[in-house]
Amino acid sequence: MTGSRKNTLSGKSVLRLLDLTPEELQLVLETAQTQKAEWSLGIHDTPLSGAAIAIIMEKPSMRTRASFEVGAARLGAHPVVMSDSRSAFSRGETVQDTTLVLERFVDAIVIRTFEQQKVEEIAEWASIPVVNALTDMFHPCQGLADLLTIKEHKGDLAGLTLAYVGDGNNMAHTYLEGGALSGMRVRIATPADFACDEFVIEECEEVAALTGATIQVGTDPIWAVTDADVVITDTWTSMGDEEEHDMRVQAFQGFCVDAALMAHAKEDAVFLHCLPAHRGEEVTDEVMDGEQSLIYDEAENRLHAQKALLYLLMTKA
Ligand code: CP
């Protein structure tokens, strides 16, 4: 199921996209494309039969939880979903104790939480793969689904221009990483006070020097979108920032992706949004529901990208 590429991901954890090499990123995307095609042909292999996967949600989720739960089941694994705040990694127990007990029951841990440091600590203790299902810093599984969607519609990722307009949040960081790994031209436009973290930009510039990618950050949405192949935005108010909502709506004026902004991109440009969207804030209905929008394909690809990732992490090389 991995084609001509060797599975170098067996047993690894993925806490951010830069945990993958450029070749490993392509391996995940190619495996997802193969598995997706096979599933549609009625080939329903269960390579993880007998395994169990903990799916821990410390923040709200619809897409991530549903796609991981269904993906695990389709692979033949048993999903153990813990979304109650009193279940995993709570009640005062140390990360060490929870991780070392949990791994006696399951074969991989998928976790959505707040601090990146927490998923790193879990991965340090765990002898099984750990997958970041969103932290305040990164959302690698969404990034894989988005790159898969772009690849399906545009072919090779290298050389494509990906424009992101909005908050310098976990998705912006993830597009910097995914674009750097896959040789894309990445342009990020944020308000000056909501820029991406400098250390992420610097790390991505180092990767870009090896892959031929370019990384550019600025504050002008029109500059970012001009002649882009892919235009992306995300909520201006991420989980945890709700009290800042009104302030953010003011600060992000001019950053809404509307038809006028899309007109600066290539005629055949596609639009992505990881959802949930705040229609009328970061994006208009016209763009969300327009011909260039791939938002529902993108959401479906969470399932295919994560299935491929779990398969590669949880099967022997
Ligand atoms: N895009 C995304 O992660 O969606 P959920 O928050 O619904 O999981």
Side-chain angles (χ1 to χ4, degrees):
M1 220 183 264
T2 59
S4 56
R5 293 183 197 265
K6 191 173 180 311
N7 179 14
T8 54
L9 281 166
S10 181
K12 290 189 180 173
S13 290
V14 175
L15 311 182
R16 57 189 288 190
L17 284 182
L18 286 196
D19 287 337
L20 304 174
T21 64
E23 294 74 25
E24 287 170 341
L25 174 60
Q26 292 310 316
L27 174 64
V28 176
L29 300 181
E30 288 168 12
T31 304
Q33 286 185 299
T34 302
Q35 289 181 339
K36 183 175 177 178
E38 287 178 350
W39 185 269
S40 70
L41 292 172
I43 302 169
H44 296 174
D45 292 344
T46 51
L48 300 185
S49 181
I53 301 172
I55 300 169
I56 301 165
M57 294 288 158
E58 296 187 344
K59 285 184 175 187
S61 171
M62 185 275 273
R63 279 147 285 267
T64 307
R65 177 188 162 154
S67 55
F68 265 114
E69 194 166 344
V70 172
R74 285 193 183 183
L75 288 164
H78 178 75
V80 182
V81 179
M82 288 178 265
S83 55
D84 186 310
S85 60
R86 291 163 295 174
S87 53
F89 298 104
S90 63
R91 297 188 292 162
E93 191 171 52
T94 63
V95 169
Q96 172 189 347
D97 289 346
T98 304
T99 306
L100 294 181
V101 172
L102 196 52
E103 70 173 17
R104 300 289 176 106
F105 305 132
V106 302
D107 304 281
I109 298 172
V110 172
I111 178 162
R112 165 171 290 198
T113 188
F114 295 84
E115 309 87 11
Q116 183 70 12
Q117 197 185 349
K118 183 164 178 179
V119 294
E120 287 169 4
E121 190 182 350
I122 295 166
E124 275 170 29
W125 285 111
S127 61
I128 56 176
V130 178
V131 175
N132 176 358
L134 180 146
T135 61
D136 295 341
M137 281 302 294
F138 300 109
H139 196 358
C141 296
Q142 182 71 55
L144 291 174
D146 293 7
L147 293 174
L148 175 61
T149 309
I150 298 167
K151 192 171 159 67
E152 285 176 341
H153 287 265
K154 295 281 178 196
D156 276 351
L157 298 176
L160 293 176
T161 299
L162 182 157
Y164 173 88
V165 174
D167 189 16
N169 61 11
N170 49 6
M171 282 315 311
H173 292 158
T174 297
Y175 295 125
L176 283 169
E177 297 200 346
L181 285 167
S182 44
M184 300 177 89
R185 299 191 187 111
V186 184
R187 290 194 215 126
I188 305 271
T190 69
D193 290 341
F194 298 89
C196 293
D197 280 28
E198 199 57 43
F199 88 90
V200 179
I201 296 170
E202 286 170 11
E203 288 177 347
C204 289
E205 284 171 342
E206 285 173 25
V207 174
L210 303 173
T211 62
T214 58
I215 301 294
Q216 292 178 292
V217 294
T219 57
D220 180 357
I222 294 176
W223 157 78
V225 164
T226 298
D227 292 330
D229 299 285
V230 184
V231 178
I232 312 182
T233 189
D234 188 18
T235 179
W236 295 336
T237 309
S238 293
M239 286 180 273
D241 295 332
E242 289 82 0
E243 284 182 10
E244 297 178 2
H245 175 260
D246 292 350
M247 177 275 286
R248 283 174 171 264
V249 169
Q250 288 306 313
F252 283 82
Q253 288 310 302
F255 284 77
C256 176
V257 178
D258 56 16
L261 187 63
M262 282 300 291
H264 291 276
K266 285 186 181 160
E267 236 177 85
D268 63 350
V270 296
F271 172 76
L272 299 180
H273 189 308
C274 67
L275 308 178
H278 298 79
R279 288 168 176 252
E281 289 188 10
E282 74 270 12
V283 59
T284 59
D285 286 335
E286 191 179 7
V287 171
M288 286 284 281
D289 301 326
E291 284 184 359
Q292 291 165 290
S293 175
L294 300 178
I295 55 172
Y296 302 125
D297 287 348
E298 177 188 8
E300 179 190 332
N301 278 336
R302 295 295 304 276
L303 170 63
H304 304 296
Q306 291 159 195
K307 255 185 80 186
L309 183 65
L310 290 173
Y311 167 75
L312 291 164
L313 299 179
M314 295 177 68
T315 51
K316 294 219 170 0

